[in-house]
Amino acid sequence: GNASTPVPSAGRADMRTDLDAMLDARDTIHPDGWHGLARAEWVAAADDVAARAGSMTRDEQLVELVRLAAMPSWNGRDGHTGIFPFTPADGTLLYPLRWWQFSDGLVITAARPPYEDLVGSRVEAIAGRPIDEVMRLVEPLAPRDNPSNLKAFGLLYLRVSNLLAGLGVVDEPGPTEFTLVDRDGDRRDVEIEPTAPVADDDWDSGLPHRLAATDAPWLRDQDSTLWWTFLEDNGTLFAQF
């Protein structure tokens, strides 16, 4: 199930209580908590984090908690076990963007005001770090059932400015420079300011494909299991499930 371990308090030197709670939950709640990872391997990693916690920043502590929560899923089949720092109570900041990894790169598929003109742009770098390098740092934080599941959920963790700070991609959570290439092939650097999550908002629901409903067919009836309509302007039957 989803871990309920709280985000560590600022300046907290000892995460031992949080780590012990995480271990106890895996031992007592998960029906097969160590099917993909030896318990001793996780305990050793947790002990190492606890030993270093006093020298970590708050964001580095958050990264380590999120990484340890996801660690048992790295071999797959455990996508619901993780920490999902996307809610107002987490105290995180999220970039107001959604993106998807296409064959030609990571492309912005939706953006909140005032960044709507960035939709369709390809992300080449964040804070000067190549996007492929950033994704390699972020992916261990995301729980997964399989590679396709990781492809979807890893992108949600990329939105969290605090995690990028804890990973050393940015100096601190806040306005960040993104290097983008727009649909015309023009490259530019854009500073994007993250915002606090909003409760009960489709953008911050933790669901990788869910956005606020619009008239676009793929966003219009997201709560329907199966529906279809005929698009008369181009003679196409649109079906969604």
Side-chain angles (χ1 to χ4, degrees):
N2 297 357
S4 59
T5 306
V7 173
S9 301
R12 183 172 181 175
D14 184 8
M15 290 197 292
R16 188 77 261 173
T17 299
D18 290 331
L19 297 173
D20 288 346
M22 197 183 300
L23 179 62
D24 181 67
R26 194 140 196 101
D27 283 339
T28 60
I29 298 175
H30 198 295
D32 188 10
W34 306 106
H35 68 85
L37 177 74
R39 185 181 188 276
E41 184 177 347
W42 190 94
V43 170
D47 287 344
D48 176 68
V49 168
R52 296 183 290 108
S55 62
M56 293 179 187
T57 66
R58 181 179 186 274
D59 296 315
E60 288 169 341
Q61 290 181 10
L62 174 61
V63 162
E64 295 301 341
L65 279 176
V66 174
R67 190 199 318 272
L68 284 167
M71 186 178 176
S73 79
W74 287 351
N75 289 319
R77 297 173 47 238
D78 218 337
H80 287 275
T81 297
I83 293 176
F84 307 92
F86 314 127
T87 72
D90 296 320
T92 52
L93 297 174
L94 310 183
Y95 299 109
L97 307 172
R98 284 294 187 92
W99 27 46
W100 192 255
Q101 186 72 45
F102 294 96
S103 60
D104 57 346
L106 182 70
V107 176
I108 296 172
T109 54
R112 280 182 154 166
Y115 304 108
E116 300 100 315
D117 66 322
L118 302 183
V119 173
S121 296
R122 187 175 73 251
V123 181
E124 287 204 335
I126 299 177
R129 300 279 287 271
I131 189 59
D132 289 345
E133 181 180 328
V134 176
M135 284 306 304
R136 283 194 294 271
L137 293 172
V138 170
E139 285 182 351
L141 309 182
R144 76 288 309 262
D145 292 308
N146 51 55
S148 294
N149 186 246
L150 174 61
K151 182 178 180 180
F153 281 90
L155 298 178
L156 293 179
Y157 289 80
L158 183 63
R159 295 185 62 213
V160 185
S161 186
N162 308 71
L163 294 178
L164 296 191
L167 291 166
V169 176
V170 300
D171 292 334
E172 60 183 5
T176 301
E177 184 179 87
F178 284 72
T179 302
L180 308 175
V181 177
D182 67 20
R183 284 175 282 192
D184 296 323
D186 296 325
R187 180 178 285 99
R188 58 173 170 157
D189 292 329
V190 179
E191 186 176 83
I192 298 176
E193 184 168 359
T195 58
V198 178
D200 301 321
D201 186 289
D202 285 338
W203 269 78
D204 302 328
S205 66
L207 300 177
H209 301 294
R210 190 175 184 92
L211 293 174
T214 73
D215 289 336
W218 71 284
L219 291 173
R220 193 165 59 205
D221 294 307
Q222 296 174 70
D223 291 323
S224 298
T225 303
L226 171 66
W227 71 277
W228 57 86
T229 186
F230 184 70
L231 306 178
E232 296 185 2
D233 58 339
N234 56 23
T236 301
L237 179 66
F238 178 91
Q240 182 164 299
F241 61 91

